[in-house]
Amino acid sequence: GAVVSQHPSRVICKSGTSVKIECRSLDFQATTMFWYRQFPKQSLMLMATSNEGSKATYEQGVEKDKFLINHASLTLSTLTVTSAHPEDSSFYICSASPGPGGQPQHFGDGTRLSIL
Amino acid sequence: TQLLEQSPQFLSIQEGENLTVYCNSSSVFSSLQWYRQEPGEGPVLLVTVVTGGEVKKLKRLTFQFGDARKDSSLHITAAQPGDTGLYLCAGGRRSGNTPLVFGKGTRLSVIA
């Protein structure tokens, strides 16, 4: 149980393209999902908290107009990297929790984004 | 800001050796999770500890939550090459769906 699916697993695209990443909770409902970014050989950096039916909460330094988050249902959150540039290349991971207290979190397999 | 100090950051050992990874904080957490991550994949939950002083065992892995719920340790006995990966500790708060506080990770390499 508690499976989180993330798609696509890998994206390679040209600079200026917008890229959408999906995060789905397959066997539970999640009112809250989290989006992280991970640089090589580093830990996870929280980007934003995705709330179903309301606006996402972004961490300091994360541009909300650059990283658009939509949490349209209790099982799906999407992260759109708008007008992506090479510096946006990274490993993006989402997480969700089936528990009422939000713990523990279960992670998707991540999306490797490469902007040429 | 709640911080989790994780150490060591890097660890390279021979197969069969034992090791311990530490997570320490000045803040109290309601729970502490340990994850293991392999390259190109998302973190996989190993264990959750919620009670001060709690000890959980998962085969050769032993997890302990400090009495004051401010620190935790992961001990691996007789490490194997398959244990290689990035180990992450993460602290949680009980109130609502709040994000985890992550340590910086311990990159373990077990050499055959």
Side-chain angles (χ1 to χ4, degrees):
Chain A
V3 177
V4 176
S5 173
Q6 193 171 335
H7 179 80
S9 59
R10 188 176 182 92
V11 180
I12 302 173
C13 57
K14 294 181 179 180
S15 184
T17 306
S18 291
V19 178
K20 180 185 284 188
I21 303 170
E22 292 186 349
C23 181
R24 294 181 184 272
S25 55
L26 296 186
D27 52 0
F28 65 95
Q29 293 182 333
T31 56
T32 304
M33 294 184 177
F34 301 98
W35 287 97
Y36 296 84
R37 185 172 179 175
Q38 188 176 31
F39 293 101
K41 299 184 179 181
Q42 294 189 22
S43 186
L44 281 70
M45 182 187 77
L46 179 67
M47 297 176 65
T49 301
S50 173
N51 304 299
E52 188 269 335
S54 64
K55 292 182 179 179
T57 304
Y58 290 83
E59 295 300 299
Q60 191 173 8
V62 178
E63 298 177 59
K64 62 179 180 181
D65 295 329
K66 175 74 171 178
F67 299 99
L68 299 179
I69 292 174
N70 185 287
H71 197 147
S73 76
L74 287 171
T75 59
L76 173 64
S77 175
T78 61
L79 168 67
T80 301
V81 183
T82 61
S83 187
H85 292 285
E87 58 266 28
D88 299 323
S89 298
S90 192
F91 193 54
Y92 293 87
I93 312 175
C94 68
S95 74
S97 173
Q103 316 295 342
Q105 294 286 318
H106 295 273
F107 288 83
D109 278 340
T111 297
R112 171 72 59 194
L113 177 61
S114 300
I115 307 299
L116 306 177
Chain B
T1 302
Q2 294 179 300
L3 294 176
L4 264 178
E5 299 290 336
Q6 188 172 344
S7 64
Q9 190 175 355
F10 299 98
L11 192 55
S12 181
I13 61 172
Q14 295 289 329
E15 181 177 5
E17 292 184 359
N18 303 330
L19 67 115
T20 303
V21 179
Y22 300 93
C23 264
N24 297 291
S25 175
S26 58
S27 301
V28 175
F29 292 100
S30 62
S31 66
L32 203 296
Q33 283 93 51
W34 285 91
Y35 294 86
R36 177 166 163 261
Q37 185 183 22
E38 300 200 30
E41 299 181 7
V44 175
L45 179 67
L46 296 175
V47 78
T48 299
V49 286
V50 297
T51 305
E54 182 176 3
V55 176
K56 281 191 175 179
K57 292 192 175 184
L58 184 65
K59 296 183 180 179
R60 294 176 292 101
L61 279 61
T62 302
F63 305 86
Q64 186 166 6
F65 203 10
D67 291 340
R69 290 186 286 130
K70 294 181 179 181
D71 55 88
S72 181
S73 64
L74 157 61
H75 183 79
I76 301 179
T77 304
Q80 298 177 1
D83 296 327
T84 295
L86 177 67
Y87 289 82
L88 296 161
C89 64
R93 291 184 293 170
R94 187 173 290 114
S95 58
N97 251 321
T98 52
L100 296 172
V101 176
F102 276 91
K104 290 191 175 182
T106 296
R107 189 162 296 279
L108 172 65
S109 177
V110 182
I111 303 166

mmCIF file of all heavy atoms in Angstrom, chain A residues 31-32 34 36 38 41-44 46 91 93 101-109, chain B residues 33 35 37 40-43 45 48 86 88 93 96-100 102-104 107:
data_model
loop_
_atom_site.group_PDB
_atom_site.id
_atom_site.type_symbol
_atom_site.label_atom_id
_atom_site.label_comp_id
_atom_site.label_asym_id
_atom_site.label_seq_id
_atom_site.Cartn_x
_atom_site.Cartn_y
_atom_site.Cartn_z
ATOM 1 N N THR A 31 -4.734 14.896 0.689
ATOM 2 C CA THR A 31 -5.105 16.300 0.610
ATOM 3 C C THR A 31 -3.866 17.182 0.467
ATOM 4 O O THR A 31 -3.959 18.310 0.005
ATOM 5 C CB THR A 31 -5.875 16.735 1.860
ATOM 6 O OG1 THR A 31 -5.089 16.443 3.018
ATOM 7 C CG2 THR A 31 -7.208 16.016 1.960
ATOM 8 N N THR A 32 -2.742 16.634 0.860
ATOM 9 C CA THR A 32 -1.493 17.388 0.765
ATOM 10 C C THR A 32 -0.410 16.539 0.118
ATOM 11 O O THR A 32 -0.252 15.373 0.474
ATOM 12 C CB THR A 32 -1.012 17.834 2.153
ATOM 13 O OG1 THR A 32 -2.042 18.584 2.790
ATOM 14 C CG2 THR A 32 0.248 18.683 2.053
ATOM 15 N N PHE A 34 3.777 16.997 -1.475
ATOM 16 C CA PHE A 34 4.941 17.863 -1.388
ATOM 17 C C PHE A 34 5.817 17.676 -2.622
ATOM 18 O O PHE A 34 5.954 16.570 -3.145
ATOM 19 C CB PHE A 34 5.753 17.543 -0.131
ATOM 20 C CG PHE A 34 4.974 17.688 1.145
ATOM 21 C CD1 PHE A 34 4.409 16.584 1.751
ATOM 22 C CD2 PHE A 34 4.809 18.931 1.728
ATOM 23 C CE1 PHE A 34 3.682 16.725 2.924
ATOM 24 C CE2 PHE A 34 4.084 19.070 2.900
ATOM 25 C CZ PHE A 34 3.520 17.960 3.497
ATOM 26 N N TYR A 36 9.698 18.273 -4.137
ATOM 27 C CA TYR A 36 11.083 18.492 -3.757
ATOM 28 C C TYR A 36 11.947 18.576 -5.009
ATOM 29 O O TYR A 36 11.613 18.041 -6.070
ATOM 30 C CB TYR A 36 11.606 17.326 -2.908
ATOM 31 C CG TYR A 36 10.918 17.143 -1.575
ATOM 32 C CD1 TYR A 36 9.731 16.417 -1.489
ATOM 33 C CD2 TYR A 36 11.461 17.668 -0.409
ATOM 34 C CE1 TYR A 36 9.105 16.229 -0.257
ATOM 35 C CE2 TYR A 36 10.841 17.479 0.817
ATOM 36 C CZ TYR A 36 9.673 16.762 0.880
ATOM 37 O OH TYR A 36 9.051 16.575 2.087
ATOM 38 N N GLN A 38 16.108 17.890 -5.985
ATOM 39 C CA GLN A 38 17.325 17.293 -5.455
ATOM 40 C C GLN A 38 18.467 17.484 -6.431
ATOM 41 O O GLN A 38 18.383 17.052 -7.584
ATOM 42 C CB GLN A 38 17.111 15.805 -5.171
ATOM 43 C CG GLN A 38 18.267 15.137 -4.447
ATOM 44 C CD GLN A 38 17.972 13.689 -4.099
ATOM 45 O OE1 GLN A 38 17.247 13.006 -4.800
ATOM 46 N NE2 GLN A 38 18.531 13.211 -2.990
ATOM 47 N N LYS A 41 23.992 14.351 -5.483
ATOM 48 C CA LYS A 41 24.683 14.001 -4.246
ATOM 49 C C LYS A 41 24.250 14.874 -3.066
ATOM 50 O O LYS A 41 25.011 15.026 -2.105
ATOM 51 C CB LYS A 41 26.196 14.068 -4.436
ATOM 52 C CG LYS A 41 26.692 13.095 -5.499
ATOM 53 C CD LYS A 41 28.199 13.096 -5.614
ATOM 54 C CE LYS A 41 28.665 12.101 -6.670
ATOM 55 N NZ LYS A 41 30.129 12.058 -6.810
ATOM 56 N N GLN A 42 23.078 15.443 -3.134
ATOM 57 C CA GLN A 42 22.575 16.257 -2.038
ATOM 58 C C GLN A 42 21.235 15.721 -1.544
ATOM 59 O O GLN A 42 20.631 14.850 -2.163
ATOM 60 C CB GLN A 42 22.426 17.717 -2.473
ATOM 61 C CG GLN A 42 23.741 18.396 -2.780
ATOM 62 C CD GLN A 42 23.580 19.880 -2.992
ATOM 63 O OE1 GLN A 42 22.619 20.494 -2.546
ATOM 64 N NE2 GLN A 42 24.547 20.482 -3.683
ATOM 65 N N SER A 43 20.799 16.254 -0.433
ATOM 66 C CA SER A 43 19.519 15.852 0.132
ATOM 67 C C SER A 43 18.375 16.532 -0.607
ATOM 68 O O SER A 43 18.586 17.287 -1.553
ATOM 69 C CB SER A 43 19.496 16.212 1.623
ATOM 70 O OG SER A 43 18.323 15.721 2.235
ATOM 71 N N LEU A 44 17.173 16.267 -0.150
ATOM 72 C CA LEU A 44 15.991 16.837 -0.793
ATOM 73 C C LEU A 44 15.759 18.263 -0.310
ATOM 74 O O LEU A 44 15.895 18.562 0.868
ATOM 75 C CB LEU A 44 14.754 16.003 -0.454
ATOM 76 C CG LEU A 44 14.560 14.714 -1.242
ATOM 77 C CD1 LEU A 44 15.583 13.679 -0.865
ATOM 78 C CD2 LEU A 44 13.165 14.175 -1.017
ATOM 79 N N LEU A 46 12.834 21.050 -0.138
ATOM 80 C CA LEU A 46 11.404 21.268 -0.309
ATOM 81 C C LEU A 46 11.158 22.510 -1.151
ATOM 82 O O LEU A 46 11.699 23.581 -0.870
ATOM 83 C CB LEU A 46 10.735 21.427 1.065
ATOM 84 C CG LEU A 46 9.234 21.676 1.050
ATOM 85 C CD1 LEU A 46 8.493 20.440 0.536
ATOM 86 C CD2 LEU A 46 8.742 22.039 2.449
ATOM 87 N N PHE A 91 16.560 16.834 -10.469
ATOM 88 C CA PHE A 91 15.735 15.675 -10.138
ATOM 89 C C PHE A 91 14.596 16.176 -9.256
ATOM 90 O O PHE A 91 14.843 16.733 -8.188
ATOM 91 C CB PHE A 91 16.593 14.637 -9.406
ATOM 92 C CG PHE A 91 15.972 13.271 -9.283
ATOM 93 C CD1 PHE A 91 15.511 12.598 -10.396
ATOM 94 C CD2 PHE A 91 15.870 12.656 -8.046
ATOM 95 C CE1 PHE A 91 14.952 11.330 -10.295
ATOM 96 C CE2 PHE A 91 15.314 11.381 -7.932
ATOM 97 C CZ PHE A 91 14.853 10.724 -9.054
ATOM 98 N N ILE A 93 11.078 15.399 -7.158
ATOM 99 C CA ILE A 93 10.410 14.288 -6.473
ATOM 100 C C ILE A 93 9.189 14.800 -5.728
ATOM 101 O O ILE A 93 9.239 15.866 -5.123
ATOM 102 C CB ILE A 93 11.347 13.604 -5.455
ATOM 103 C CG1 ILE A 93 12.709 13.303 -6.065
ATOM 104 C CG2 ILE A 93 10.732 12.318 -4.914
ATOM 105 C CD1 ILE A 93 13.704 12.742 -5.054
ATOM 106 N N GLY A 101 -2.008 12.517 10.062
ATOM 107 C CA GLY A 101 -1.015 13.474 10.546
ATOM 108 C C GLY A 101 0.071 13.773 9.542
ATOM 109 O O GLY A 101 1.017 14.498 9.843
ATOM 110 N N GLY A 102 -0.059 13.219 8.353
ATOM 111 C CA GLY A 102 0.925 13.500 7.312
ATOM 112 C C GLY A 102 2.217 12.710 7.440
ATOM 113 O O GLY A 102 3.187 12.978 6.756
ATOM 114 N N GLN A 103 2.235 11.740 8.338
ATOM 115 C CA GLN A 103 3.448 10.954 8.512
ATOM 116 C C GLN A 103 3.096 9.475 8.430
ATOM 117 O O GLN A 103 2.070 9.053 8.936
ATOM 118 C CB GLN A 103 4.090 11.251 9.880
ATOM 119 C CG GLN A 103 4.140 12.713 10.269
ATOM 120 C CD GLN A 103 5.031 13.533 9.364
ATOM 121 O OE1 GLN A 103 5.854 12.986 8.657
ATOM 122 N NE2 GLN A 103 4.835 14.834 9.357
ATOM 123 N N PRO A 104 3.970 8.629 7.861
ATOM 124 C CA PRO A 104 5.164 9.055 7.132
ATOM 125 C C PRO A 104 4.828 9.443 5.695
ATOM 126 O O PRO A 104 3.728 9.190 5.214
ATOM 127 C CB PRO A 104 6.014 7.788 7.148
ATOM 128 C CG PRO A 104 5.009 6.684 7.097
ATOM 129 C CD PRO A 104 3.845 7.159 7.895
ATOM 130 N N GLN A 105 5.776 10.049 5.052
ATOM 131 C CA GLN A 105 5.630 10.409 3.659
ATOM 132 C C GLN A 105 6.117 9.264 2.770
ATOM 133 O O GLN A 105 7.072 8.564 3.113
ATOM 134 C CB GLN A 105 6.481 11.653 3.350
ATOM 135 C CG GLN A 105 6.005 12.906 4.062
ATOM 136 C CD GLN A 105 4.754 13.462 3.457
ATOM 137 O OE1 GLN A 105 4.622 13.505 2.239
ATOM 138 N NE2 GLN A 105 3.811 13.890 4.296
ATOM 139 N N HIS A 106 5.443 9.091 1.645
ATOM 140 C CA HIS A 106 5.872 8.110 0.650
ATOM 141 C C HIS A 106 6.195 8.871 -0.627
ATOM 142 O O HIS A 106 5.452 9.770 -1.029
ATOM 143 C CB HIS A 106 4.787 7.074 0.410
ATOM 144 C CG HIS A 106 4.516 6.236 1.627
ATOM 145 N ND1 HIS A 106 5.236 5.084 1.902
ATOM 146 C CD2 HIS A 106 3.650 6.389 2.648
ATOM 147 C CE1 HIS A 106 4.797 4.564 3.040
ATOM 148 N NE2 HIS A 106 3.846 5.340 3.514
ATOM 149 N N PHE A 107 7.288 8.492 -1.243
ATOM 150 C CA PHE A 107 7.811 9.259 -2.363
ATOM 151 C C PHE A 107 7.566 8.590 -3.702
ATOM 152 O O PHE A 107 7.548 7.354 -3.809
ATOM 153 C CB PHE A 107 9.315 9.472 -2.182
ATOM 154 C CG PHE A 107 9.654 10.439 -1.090
ATOM 155 C CD1 PHE A 107 9.707 10.025 0.233
ATOM 156 C CD2 PHE A 107 9.893 11.775 -1.378
ATOM 157 C CE1 PHE A 107 10.000 10.922 1.251
ATOM 158 C CE2 PHE A 107 10.193 12.678 -0.363
ATOM 159 C CZ PHE A 107 10.239 12.253 0.950
ATOM 160 N N GLY A 108 7.404 9.426 -4.713
ATOM 161 C CA GLY A 108 7.434 8.938 -6.081
ATOM 162 C C GLY A 108 8.858 8.602 -6.473
ATOM 163 O O GLY A 108 9.807 8.851 -5.711
ATOM 164 N N ASP A 109 9.017 8.048 -7.663
ATOM 165 C CA ASP A 109 10.343 7.646 -8.123
ATOM 166 C C ASP A 109 11.143 8.793 -8.736
ATOM 167 O O ASP A 109 12.267 8.588 -9.179
ATOM 168 C CB ASP A 109 10.236 6.503 -9.125
ATOM 169 C CG ASP A 109 10.095 5.161 -8.432
ATOM 170 O OD1 ASP A 109 10.455 5.077 -7.239
ATOM 171 O OD2 ASP A 109 9.628 4.200 -9.067
ATOM 172 N N GLN B 33 11.619 9.539 10.595
ATOM 173 C CA GLN B 33 11.644 8.524 9.551
ATOM 174 C C GLN B 33 13.056 8.365 8.993
ATOM 175 O O GLN B 33 13.812 9.324 8.914
ATOM 176 C CB GLN B 33 10.720 8.914 8.388
ATOM 177 C CG GLN B 33 9.246 8.687 8.667
ATOM 178 C CD GLN B 33 8.583 9.926 9.218
ATOM 179 O OE1 GLN B 33 8.703 10.996 8.642
ATOM 180 N NE2 GLN B 33 7.887 9.778 10.322
ATOM 181 N N TYR B 35 14.954 6.945 5.503
ATOM 182 C CA TYR B 35 14.749 6.555 4.120
ATOM 183 C C TYR B 35 16.079 6.118 3.513
ATOM 184 O O TYR B 35 17.148 6.560 3.942
ATOM 185 C CB TYR B 35 14.217 7.726 3.287
ATOM 186 C CG TYR B 35 12.836 8.204 3.662
ATOM 187 C CD1 TYR B 35 12.647 9.134 4.675
ATOM 188 C CD2 TYR B 35 11.722 7.740 2.978
ATOM 189 C CE1 TYR B 35 11.385 9.582 5.004
ATOM 190 C CE2 TYR B 35 10.453 8.191 3.300
ATOM 191 C CZ TYR B 35 10.289 9.114 4.315
ATOM 192 O OH TYR B 35 9.029 9.556 4.634
ATOM 193 N N GLN B 37 17.781 5.898 -0.413
ATOM 194 C CA GLN B 37 17.572 6.309 -1.794
ATOM 195 C C GLN B 37 18.705 5.805 -2.669
ATOM 196 O O GLN B 37 19.883 5.959 -2.330
ATOM 197 C CB GLN B 37 17.480 7.833 -1.899
ATOM 198 C CG GLN B 37 17.154 8.338 -3.295
ATOM 199 C CD GLN B 37 17.130 9.847 -3.378
ATOM 200 O OE1 GLN B 37 17.725 10.543 -2.561
ATOM 201 N NE2 GLN B 37 16.433 10.383 -4.362
ATOM 202 N N GLY B 40 18.767 7.879 -9.083
ATOM 203 C CA GLY B 40 17.705 7.903 -10.071
ATOM 204 C C GLY B 40 16.355 7.431 -9.573
ATOM 205 O O GLY B 40 15.422 7.282 -10.371
ATOM 206 N N GLU B 41 16.254 7.210 -8.265
ATOM 207 C CA GLU B 41 14.980 6.755 -7.707
ATOM 208 C C GLU B 41 14.568 7.650 -6.543
ATOM 209 O O GLU B 41 15.376 8.397 -5.999
ATOM 210 C CB GLU B 41 15.090 5.311 -7.244
ATOM 211 C CG GLU B 41 15.429 4.337 -8.353
ATOM 212 C CD GLU B 41 15.512 2.904 -7.859
ATOM 213 O OE1 GLU B 41 15.174 2.648 -6.691
ATOM 214 O OE2 GLU B 41 15.930 2.043 -8.653
ATOM 215 N N GLY B 42 13.296 7.532 -6.154
ATOM 216 C CA GLY B 42 12.842 8.280 -5.000
ATOM 217 C C GLY B 42 13.230 7.573 -3.707
ATOM 218 O O GLY B 42 13.544 6.383 -3.713
ATOM 219 N N PRO B 43 13.221 8.295 -2.582
ATOM 220 C CA PRO B 43 13.536 7.674 -1.296
ATOM 221 C C PRO B 43 12.500 6.612 -0.934
ATOM 222 O O PRO B 43 11.306 6.788 -1.177
ATOM 223 C CB PRO B 43 13.469 8.852 -0.318
ATOM 224 C CG PRO B 43 13.628 10.066 -1.156
ATOM 225 C CD PRO B 43 12.993 9.744 -2.460
ATOM 226 N N LEU B 45 10.925 4.429 2.203
ATOM 227 C CA LEU B 45 10.814 4.441 3.660
ATOM 228 C C LEU B 45 11.322 3.125 4.251
ATOM 229 O O LEU B 45 10.918 2.037 3.843
ATOM 230 C CB LEU B 45 9.348 4.648 4.061
ATOM 231 C CG LEU B 45 9.051 4.654 5.557
ATOM 232 C CD1 LEU B 45 9.687 5.884 6.223
ATOM 233 C CD2 LEU B 45 7.555 4.622 5.815
ATOM 234 N N THR B 48 9.679 4.093 10.671
ATOM 235 C CA THR B 48 9.200 5.278 11.391
ATOM 236 C C THR B 48 9.266 4.972 12.879
ATOM 237 O O THR B 48 8.802 3.915 13.317
ATOM 238 C CB THR B 48 7.753 5.612 11.013
ATOM 239 O OG1 THR B 48 7.681 5.896 9.613
ATOM 240 C CG2 THR B 48 7.259 6.829 11.785
ATOM 241 N N LEU B 86 22.051 6.301 -0.425
ATOM 242 C CA LEU B 86 21.935 7.537 0.355
ATOM 243 C C LEU B 86 20.900 7.317 1.442
ATOM 244 O O LEU B 86 19.752 6.986 1.148
ATOM 245 C CB LEU B 86 21.517 8.703 -0.550
ATOM 246 C CG LEU B 86 21.296 10.047 0.151
ATOM 247 C CD1 LEU B 86 22.616 10.585 0.691
ATOM 248 C CD2 LEU B 86 20.675 11.065 -0.810
ATOM 249 N N LEU B 88 18.681 8.871 4.454
ATOM 250 C CA LEU B 88 18.131 10.165 4.861
ATOM 251 C C LEU B 88 17.289 10.006 6.117
ATOM 252 O O LEU B 88 16.444 9.110 6.181
ATOM 253 C CB LEU B 88 17.251 10.746 3.752
ATOM 254 C CG LEU B 88 17.924 11.089 2.433
ATOM 255 C CD1 LEU B 88 16.900 11.193 1.314
ATOM 256 C CD2 LEU B 88 18.677 12.398 2.557
ATOM 257 N N ARG B 93 6.351 16.530 12.392
ATOM 258 C CA ARG B 93 5.579 17.129 13.469
ATOM 259 C C ARG B 93 4.166 16.599 13.407
ATOM 260 O O ARG B 93 3.648 16.320 12.335
ATOM 261 C CB ARG B 93 5.578 18.657 13.334
ATOM 262 C CG ARG B 93 6.924 19.289 13.597
ATOM 263 C CD ARG B 93 6.826 20.804 13.550
ATOM 264 N NE ARG B 93 6.532 21.282 12.211
ATOM 265 C CZ ARG B 93 6.214 22.543 11.937
ATOM 266 N NH1 ARG B 93 6.119 23.424 12.895
ATOM 267 N NH2 ARG B 93 5.965 22.921 10.690
ATOM 268 N N GLY B 96 -1.077 18.468 11.733
ATOM 269 C CA GLY B 96 -1.454 18.653 10.340
ATOM 270 C C GLY B 96 -0.504 17.999 9.362
ATOM 271 O O GLY B 96 0.386 17.238 9.729
ATOM 272 N N ASN B 97 -0.705 18.297 8.115
ATOM 273 C CA ASN B 97 0.107 17.727 7.046
ATOM 274 C C ASN B 97 1.302 18.623 6.789
ATOM 275 O O ASN B 97 1.390 19.299 5.774
ATOM 276 C CB ASN B 97 -0.746 17.591 5.786
ATOM 277 C CG ASN B 97 -1.049 16.145 5.477
ATOM 278 O OD1 ASN B 97 -0.197 15.291 5.644
ATOM 279 N ND2 ASN B 97 -2.253 15.888 5.041
ATOM 280 N N THR B 98 2.219 18.638 7.691
ATOM 281 C CA THR B 98 3.384 19.504 7.568
ATOM 282 C C THR B 98 4.532 18.751 6.905
ATOM 283 O O THR B 98 4.647 17.532 7.041
ATOM 284 C CB THR B 98 3.840 20.000 8.943
ATOM 285 O OG1 THR B 98 4.000 18.874 9.797
ATOM 286 C CG2 THR B 98 2.826 20.945 9.547
ATOM 287 N N PRO B 99 5.377 19.460 6.178
ATOM 288 C CA PRO B 99 6.471 18.781 5.497
ATOM 289 C C PRO B 99 7.497 18.244 6.490
ATOM 290 O O PRO B 99 7.656 18.754 7.590
ATOM 291 C CB PRO B 99 7.077 19.867 4.613
ATOM 292 C CG PRO B 99 6.681 21.150 5.254
ATOM 293 C CD PRO B 99 5.360 20.909 5.890
ATOM 294 N N LEU B 100 8.197 17.215 6.063
ATOM 295 C CA LEU B 100 9.268 16.654 6.868
ATOM 296 C C LEU B 100 10.475 17.579 6.855
ATOM 297 O O LEU B 100 10.701 18.311 5.900
ATOM 298 C CB LEU B 100 9.675 15.282 6.326
ATOM 299 C CG LEU B 100 8.620 14.177 6.383
ATOM 300 C CD1 LEU B 100 9.133 12.953 5.638
ATOM 301 C CD2 LEU B 100 8.297 13.824 7.817
ATOM 302 N N PHE B 102 14.338 17.324 6.634
ATOM 303 C CA PHE B 102 15.322 16.325 6.219
ATOM 304 C C PHE B 102 16.718 16.658 6.700
ATOM 305 O O PHE B 102 17.132 17.823 6.723
ATOM 306 C CB PHE B 102 15.358 16.205 4.697
ATOM 307 C CG PHE B 102 14.308 15.305 4.148
ATOM 308 C CD1 PHE B 102 13.073 15.797 3.787
ATOM 309 C CD2 PHE B 102 14.551 13.947 4.000
ATOM 310 C CE1 PHE B 102 12.095 14.957 3.283
ATOM 311 C CE2 PHE B 102 13.587 13.101 3.508
ATOM 312 C CZ PHE B 102 12.347 13.608 3.149
ATOM 313 N N GLY B 103 17.459 15.617 7.052
ATOM 314 C CA GLY B 103 18.890 15.754 7.226
ATOM 315 C C GLY B 103 19.547 15.822 5.859
ATOM 316 O O GLY B 103 18.890 15.602 4.833
ATOM 317 N N LYS B 104 20.830 16.111 5.822
ATOM 318 C CA LYS B 104 21.531 16.262 4.548
ATOM 319 C C LYS B 104 21.918 14.931 3.927
ATOM 320 O O LYS B 104 22.407 14.887 2.803
ATOM 321 C CB LYS B 104 22.758 17.154 4.718
ATOM 322 C CG LYS B 104 22.396 18.608 4.968
ATOM 323 C CD LYS B 104 23.594 19.521 4.871
ATOM 324 C CE LYS B 104 23.162 20.967 4.995
ATOM 325 N NZ LYS B 104 24.298 21.913 4.849
ATOM 326 N N ARG B 107 25.891 9.341 2.541
ATOM 327 C CA ARG B 107 26.129 8.518 1.357
ATOM 328 C C ARG B 107 27.040 7.370 1.755
ATOM 329 O O ARG B 107 28.215 7.556 2.052
ATOM 330 C CB ARG B 107 26.752 9.353 0.246
ATOM 331 C CG ARG B 107 26.818 8.618 -1.091
ATOM 332 C CD ARG B 107 27.013 9.588 -2.244
ATOM 333 N NE ARG B 107 25.882 10.498 -2.401
ATOM 334 C CZ ARG B 107 24.752 10.188 -3.019
ATOM 335 N NH1 ARG B 107 24.589 8.991 -3.541
ATOM 336 N NH2 ARG B 107 23.789 11.071 -3.130
#
